[in-house]
Amino acid sequence: MNGFIITKLRGRRVWDSRGRPTVEVEVDLAGGAVGRAIAPAGASMGTGEAVDLRDGGAHLGGLDVQNALANINGEIRMAIAGMDATDQAAVDQVLIALDGTPNKSRLGGNATIAVSMAVAHARAVAVGEPLWRHLGGFDACTLPLPEIQIIGGGAHARSRVDVQDFMVTMPGASSFDEALVWTAEVYRLAGKLLEDSGRLQGVADEGGYWPAFATNEDGLELLVRAIEAAGLKPGEQAAISLDIAASEFGRGGRYRLALEEKDLDSDGLAELLIGWIDRYPIVSIEDPMAEDDEAGMRRFTEAAGRRVQIVGDDFVVTDAKRIRKAAAAGACNAALIKPNQAGTLTETKAALEAARAAGWGAIVSARSGETEDVTIVHLAIGWGVAQLKVGSFARAERMAKWNEALRIEESLGTMALFAGRLPFAGLAPAGAAS
Ligand code: PGA
Ligand code: ZN
């Protein structure tokens, strides 16, 4: 008997970190192994990403997932039962073909990603290995550099500040463990600085502080002060990473910074961001231009791409074709990798390979709506991706991921390598005033 044959598949409704319904899938194999995974959910989504199937109507704000569950427990189960879980590509191909749309809108990207990840987990359980080891074998020994949100804005804090994520990253740390210790100090001290200056309003969707700022630049100043207060050298040990998420406030090459009542075109926004790069120790900027502004993204990459990592999220939506097209146009030099933007693990891996083939960096990323599911940590380490983005340093759905990476680092012992400065190796020193 082939113990890897999928015998059962079931979907159930569970709840995410915003208290909204989401999809959990459990897969049983003939040999007795069980794999389980939960789909996350975005709030600041790219228009090109796989679509979550939601029921609509008034109940639960239209966000219930009964239709996605019916698909899992109905046609997906019929199609997948009897398949061999060792062939992830074949399983994912069945999901893609069964869905039949370019964006998983018929079956639901939430349904397909949960099934795809649960199959991978079941297979790893069946061979008795943790998923990261199963995916990467003995090559999987790199712990990613975490980028960790300190202040949340944009769609995650009702646009209290236009920039969505003010993050820190610790390229000077010598281990994942040390990077978290340093981050914990910066997070704590940033909170204290905000509170002492009467600018702390709570926490945003990913656990970062919800600030009362007069300008976006206040966030950058606060990060530098918190890094210094933690006894770390800005630009050497600790650096700043931003997610501008410009699709949230820009369209057709026009951008509206509501906080500062500024209307800018792409070049004006680029000039503002380059001014920040000149004055602050910034190593990475995500979605600096909107998803429909390829010309702006190309010009910004031309102007700043040798100094900072320029990450496409909404702009390339974990899609191999879009990554190849952006790379050919000279727009961005790194890709955010979010499995649920693609809808299957096979398509997620293809996007990662497209990024690597283009010489781009890559960051495995969570969504703003998360759960206790830690699959992305295993993907990052198993696939050898040097950066990981999970949100802030608070709230259990975030800490579950950081803590899982700590366990993996410990289990690797002296074999563990920490990515550290590796992702920024080709860049000119950050924060150097010109
Ligand atoms: P999300 O956005 O709210 O769609 O998960 C996070 C991000 O922009 O990186
Ligand atoms: Zn983003």
Side-chain angles (χ1 to χ4, degrees):
M1 183 195 72
N2 179 348
F4 291 95
I5 296 296
I6 297 169
T7 52
K8 268 199 226 155
L9 184 104
R10 62 197 161 279
R12 71 169 65 89
R13 180 181 58 202
V14 294
W15 303 88
D16 75 13
S17 53
R18 282 189 278 247
R20 296 175 183 171
T22 188
V23 168
E24 175 170 89
V25 169
E26 236 167 63
V27 168
D28 290 16
L29 304 187
V34 180
R36 197 171 71 193
I38 309 177
S44 117
M45 291 183 283
T47 51
E49 61 179 85
V51 174
D52 286 345
L53 191 61
R54 303 279 181 180
D55 297 348
H59 176 62
L60 294 174
L63 296 173
D64 206 358
V65 291
Q66 297 306 327
N67 293 328
L69 293 176
N71 291 340
I72 293 164
N73 295 324
E75 25 177 336
I76 294 179
R77 185 180 58 79
M78 295 284 286
I80 299 284
M83 289 190 77
D84 188 330
T86 54
D87 197 345
Q88 181 82 43
V91 171
D92 289 344
Q93 207 45 57
V94 165
L95 293 172
I96 293 163
L98 193 64
D99 173 73
T101 71
N103 59 359
K104 312 284 187 302
S105 55
R106 199 180 74 78
L107 294 175
N110 44 357
T112 60
I113 194 61
V115 171
S116 185
M117 296 194 305
V119 167
H121 279 291
R123 190 173 63 239
V125 170
V127 297
E129 284 176 339
L131 183 58
W132 62 272
R133 171 73 81 197
H134 175 63
L135 293 171
F138 286 94
D139 290 340
C141 53
T142 303
L143 270 292
L145 177 69
E147 51 172 9
I148 306 186
Q149 188 195 67
I150 303 297
I151 297 154
H156 304 154
R158 236 172 290 129
S159 301
R160 187 58 192 80
V161 53
D162 303 291
V163 172
Q164 181 180 285
D165 299 320
F166 290 88
M167 297 173 284
V168 293
T169 189
M170 303 295 176
S174 57
S175 64
F176 194 88
D177 178 53
E178 186 171 50
L180 292 193
V181 173
W182 292 3
T183 304
E185 278 297 76
V186 173
Y187 183 73
R188 182 177 69 81
L189 291 162
K192 188 167 165 9
L193 286 167
L194 277 174
E195 193 163 22
D196 290 351
S197 57
R199 296 180 295 170
L200 180 60
Q201 299 201 329
V203 294
D205 280 10
E206 298 188 359
Y209 300 116
W210 181 310
F213 286 153
T215 68
N216 287 285
E217 203 169 333
D218 285 357
L220 296 168
E221 275 169 21
L222 182 91
L223 289 188
V224 172
R225 286 184 57 204
I227 287 169
E228 285 171 347
L232 298 167
K233 283 206 189 69
E236 285 180 39
Q237 291 170 301
I240 295 175
S241 171
L242 299 175
D243 183 359
I244 307 298
S247 306
E248 294 293 314
F249 60 83
R251 187 154 302 131
R254 303 293 312 174
Y255 297 89
R256 169 83 184 156
L257 292 178
L259 183 58
E260 297 163 37
E261 297 184 357
K262 260 190 205 147
D263 286 296
L264 300 169
D265 60 11
S266 315
D267 289 341
L269 179 59
E271 204 178 299
L272 178 85
L273 297 177
I274 288 168
W276 291 353
I277 296 169
D278 289 339
R279 294 194 299 283
Y280 298 94
I282 296 169
V283 288
S284 182
I285 302 193
E286 183 178 327
D287 283 345
M289 300 287 150
E291 60 182 20
D292 67 350
D293 189 2
E294 185 182 281
M297 196 70 102
R298 192 164 30 75
R299 286 201 299 279
F300 185 71
T301 306
E302 172 72 34
R306 278 172 297 280
R307 299 175 65 193
V308 294
Q309 172 174 263
I310 299 172
V311 185
D313 171 14
D314 296 349
F315 192 68
V316 290
V317 291
T318 317
D319 179 79
K321 261 201 235 95
R322 284 176 199 249
I323 290 170
R324 282 193 285 269
K325 180 169 173 281
C332 302
N333 58 27
L336 207 70
I337 301 291
K338 290 169 163 170
N340 80 323
Q341 281 184 331
T344 63
L345 284 184
T346 301
E347 290 161 287
T348 307
K349 184 80 187 299
L352 173 63
E353 276 158 12
R356 284 177 168 158
W360 281 21
I363 305 168
V364 169
S365 172
R367 302 307 303 249
S368 52
E370 273 291 337
T371 66
E372 68 273 27
D373 186 286
V374 295
T375 309
I376 56 162
V377 179
H378 289 255
L379 298 180
I381 297 170
W383 289 345
V385 179
Q387 296 170 82
L388 180 64
K389 179 186 180 194
V390 163
S392 193
F393 207 67
R395 305 183 30 149
E397 78 280 4
R398 314 290 151 188
M399 304 321 288
K401 277 108 172 140
W402 304 132
N403 291 341
E404 183 75 351
L406 283 179
R407 288 181 202 106
I408 298 173
E409 179 169 67
E410 186 187 284
S411 75
L412 278 162
T414 56
M415 298 297 290
L417 286 170
F418 178 57
R421 287 179 217 290
L422 205 69
F424 313 120
L427 301 173
S434 50

